[in-house]
Amino acid sequence: MDKLMKYSEAVEKFDPVLGLEVHVELGTKTKMFDQSPNEFGGDPNTNIAPASIGLPGALPTINKTAIEWAIRLGLALNCEISEVSRFARKHYFYPDLAKAYQISQAAVAVAHNGWVDVELDDGDTFRVEIERAHVEEDAGKNTHIGSEDGRIQGAAYSLVDFNRSSVPLIEIVTKPIEGAGDRAPEIASKYVQALRDIARALGVSEARMERGNLRADVNVSLRETPESPLGTRTETKNVNTFRGIEKAVRYEISRQAQVLADGGEVVQQTRHFHAEDGTTSAGRSKSDAEDYRYFPDPDLGPIVASPEWVERLRAELPELPAVRRRRLRDEWGFSELEMRDVVNAGAMDLIENTVSAGASSAAARKWWMGELSRVAREADVELEELTVTPAQVAELQVLVDEGKINDKLARQVLEGVLAGEGDPVEVVDARGLAVVSDDGPLIAAVEAAMADNPDVVEKIRGGKMAAIGALMGPVMKATRGQADAKRVRELIMERI
């Protein structure tokens, strides 16, 4: 086990500096350099073409849509777009890289010198500057069989699936992120969330971290003061949850601080992140001067982004997430704190779609931030993974507004919807959950409650109207919570 310094002490003694390399898989129909389908899943080694796996004589061709989407993403990140860029071969061997080189961009990226303003939990913003955003192809995927944690150590053998090979990627590399202080973990996580939101708003990627559409390499280093030279960094590879990014940064700061405090030296290396306990472990030593023997790919011509093309793409950019959040906050009448909670919960799209389906913003927020958030927490899933749609939530609220069910019954209806029993109306019918408004059973329940509670009846007669609640309980119990509360109150007052 690594020795760790208490986090608060670590950030008091040392100044953390971050660097993030975020890979965004583009959702084009076909791959970056061949015509095979760009689809998630599928049987192993079925979504491939000769160029995907480097068969002799197979030549790559550039996916123009992927380049266009890369430019759109660069513009949304406030980057300068290079008028001319080109692809290079990055040479290294790994079983999931059949060609023994990756086609990427080296000397000149399609986009460079940008920035993103990251909104933090307390409403502050922090600007993250971007060094470059370059286009490359993804590698295949190794699956290691027989090891306890799915890693190569201890595996009996490995399998290679090339379906992901040549999927188009944008790698977004930050400049050193300085001045983060004790908020470094939050800033790192919120920055990657901002990239996720931008990619989705542009429609260039689903950016689903659990599928590997979006993943981050997290670089952390420490120095004694903000004026000191940059320290030795570590690179925690392929972190694919926002909480994981926070934990990886926090862990590395605490670990490196203890190493330095003990008089040791931080080793520049890659690290593996362990989601189960939020720790990192050593991978391989890494040098800044790794020799990938880059040279221009002789099979691919230059990418020429004319000013006219770039400006057309700029004019076509949709409303970006930060602008949209402010607009929706104002339209919905939410406070800044309420909107921040909605965004942090990943509920903004769900609420917007629920409102579009006919619910009020207050009702949509009530369901998604209340009962549905509780269900998601208990199941340890994201809100969007729940098996209920915004249209179903809006339909549920309509039933409440029409008096066909009350809030208590609505929660039972929602339970049925989540269990796959159908839409809200179907669940109400199947479970017999409609509010009872027929006077016959209600009168019987009211009169029984009044007979059992004569002291309460006298209090009401004496003007203590709040005492009606003591009669409502027995009536609701007798009707299994299905009584029309308004009609029950009317019946009580008629008899009083």
Side-chain angles (χ1 to χ4, degrees):
M1 283 291 293
D2 293 316
K3 291 174 63 179
L4 302 179
M5 182 180 290
K6 188 177 179 181
Y7 180 77
S8 58
E9 183 181 350
V11 292
E12 186 176 333
K13 287 180 176 290
F14 298 98
D15 178 48
V17 179
L18 306 176
L20 291 155
E21 302 164 31
V22 179
H23 293 82
V24 180
E25 282 187 355
L26 299 181
T28 52
K29 290 182 179 179
T30 57
K31 292 185 180 178
M32 187 67 233
F33 297 113
D34 64 62
Q35 293 299 306
S36 53
N38 177 17
E39 298 174 352
F40 179 80
D43 292 334
N45 299 308
T46 54
N47 294 337
I48 57 175
S52 303
I53 52 177
L55 293 183
L59 295 177
T61 56
I62 297 174
N63 185 329
K64 182 181 177 182
T65 299
I67 299 301
E68 192 164 277
W69 288 7
I71 294 172
R72 283 163 55 87
L73 186 54
L75 291 171
L77 300 176
N78 303 291
C79 288
E80 300 171 25
I81 305 301
S82 302
E83 190 162 349
V84 179
S85 60
R86 67 177 305 145
F87 287 104
R89 294 184 178 182
K90 178 182 179 181
H91 291 82
Y92 63 95
F93 171 78
Y94 212 61
D96 61 11
L97 195 66
K99 300 188 291 284
Y101 65 83
Q102 178 189 32
I103 302 176
S104 182
Q105 291 188 311
V108 181
V110 70
H112 58 278
N113 196 30
W115 51 268
V116 173
D117 282 337
V118 178
E119 296 184 10
L120 305 179
D121 283 339
D122 62 359
D124 287 347
T125 59
F126 187 96
R127 178 161 292 188
V128 175
E129 296 188 341
I130 294 169
E131 179 72 36
R132 56 190 276 136
H134 61 263
V135 185
E136 61 188 18
E137 62 176 338
D138 211 343
K141 182 179 180 181
N142 293 317
T143 301
H144 307 297
I145 307 300
S147 61
E148 291 184 3
D149 57 1
R151 299 188 184 278
I152 193 170
Q153 293 83 0
Y157 60 93
S158 298
L159 301 174
V160 184
D161 178 7
F162 287 107
N163 279 351
R164 198 174 66 184
S165 181
S166 199
V167 166
L169 281 181
I170 306 296
E171 181 174 352
I172 304 163
V173 183
T174 68
K175 296 178 181 179
I177 302 172
E178 304 178 73
D182 62 349
R183 305 190 73 173
E186 179 191 3
I187 288 168
S189 176
K190 294 294 185 184
Y191 165 71
V192 179
Q193 288 184 54
L195 296 188
R196 189 266 316 261
D197 293 345
I198 290 170
R200 288 182 174 179
L202 295 174
V204 302
S205 175
E206 291 186 338
R208 294 177 60 175
M209 298 189 84
E210 76 278 7
R211 287 188 173 185
N213 298 146
L214 183 75
R215 52 193 189 267
D217 297 339
V218 182
N219 294 267
V220 178
S221 67
L222 298 181
R223 57 187 178 185
E224 289 188 357
T225 70
E227 292 73 34
S228 303
L230 293 176
T232 302
R233 66 185 173 89
T234 61
E235 181 181 5
T236 304
K237 302 289 287 186
N238 293 325
V239 188
N240 66 349
T241 67
F242 300 130
R243 276 178 284 189
I245 291 167
E246 279 200 51
K247 289 178 179 178
V249 172
R250 181 177 289 268
Y251 186 87
E252 275 301 290
I253 288 174
S254 296
R255 186 189 69 83
Q256 292 183 26
Q258 190 62 57
V259 169
L260 295 173
D262 290 342
E265 294 184 358
V266 174
V267 176
Q268 184 163 335
Q269 60 187 186
T270 60
R271 308 271 304 177
H272 300 299
F273 177 69
H274 305 282
E276 63 276 7
D277 59 6
T279 64
T280 69
S281 61
R284 59 183 176 85
S285 296
K286 185 171 183 178
S287 166
D288 280 325
E290 286 181 301
D291 185 11
Y292 287 117
R293 294 185 296 117
Y294 281 105
F295 64 78
D297 192 301
D299 296 326
L300 296 170
I303 299 165
V304 179
S306 68
E308 295 77 18
W309 188 25
V310 172
E311 289 311 308
R312 176 176 63 80
L313 294 176
R314 191 192 306 276
E316 293 172 355
L317 288 178
E319 183 181 40
L320 293 178
V323 176
R324 176 171 167 246
R325 279 195 293 272
R326 290 192 291 271
R327 174 178 61 80
L328 290 176
R329 180 199 64 201
D330 294 340
E331 287 181 5
W332 294 343
F334 290 179
S335 69
E336 188 64 44
L337 179 59
E338 287 172 337
M339 195 64 184
R340 242 186 352 259
D341 289 343
V342 165
V343 171
N344 290 341
M348 189 169 71
D349 289 345
L350 296 167
I351 290 175
E352 184 180 29
N353 291 334
T354 304
V355 171
S356 296
S360 69
S361 57
R365 177 177 173 274
K366 176 190 72 174
W367 287 113
W368 288 109
M369 297 301 291
E371 184 68 10
L372 288 166
S373 284
R374 181 190 65 77
V375 172
R377 283 195 301 272
E378 290 179 355
D380 194 27
V381 297
E382 299 296 329
L383 267 177
E384 62 185 13
E385 297 177 63
L386 293 178
T387 54
V388 60
T389 66
Q392 289 172 325
V393 174
E395 182 182 317
L396 181 72
Q397 186 59 40
V398 167
L399 293 175
V400 174
D401 292 341
E402 292 177 348
K404 294 179 179 178
I405 57 175
N406 54 38
D407 274 355
K408 181 178 179 181
L409 294 172
R411 287 192 287 274
Q412 296 179 50
V413 175
L414 191 57
E415 179 185 273
V417 174
L418 289 165
E421 298 174 18
D423 291 333
V425 170
E426 296 171 321
V427 174
V428 168
D429 292 341
R431 292 194 177 193
L433 294 176
V435 162
V436 176
S437 54
D438 179 24
D439 280 1
L442 290 185
I443 289 171
V446 165
E447 290 181 347
M450 292 176 69
D452 291 341
N453 299 276
D455 55 329
V456 175
V457 172
E458 288 306 314
K459 287 180 182 179
I460 298 171
R461 285 195 174 120
K464 295 182 179 179
M465 304 309 295
I468 288 180
L471 296 180
M472 296 288 290
V475 174
M476 286 297 179
K477 183 176 181 181
T479 58
R480 297 182 303 156
Q482 292 177 245
D484 182 336
K486 180 181 178 183
R487 185 57 183 149
V488 169
R489 182 178 291 270
E490 291 172 352
L491 292 171
I492 291 172
M493 291 309 298
E494 287 174 8
R495 278 144 188 76
I496 294 295

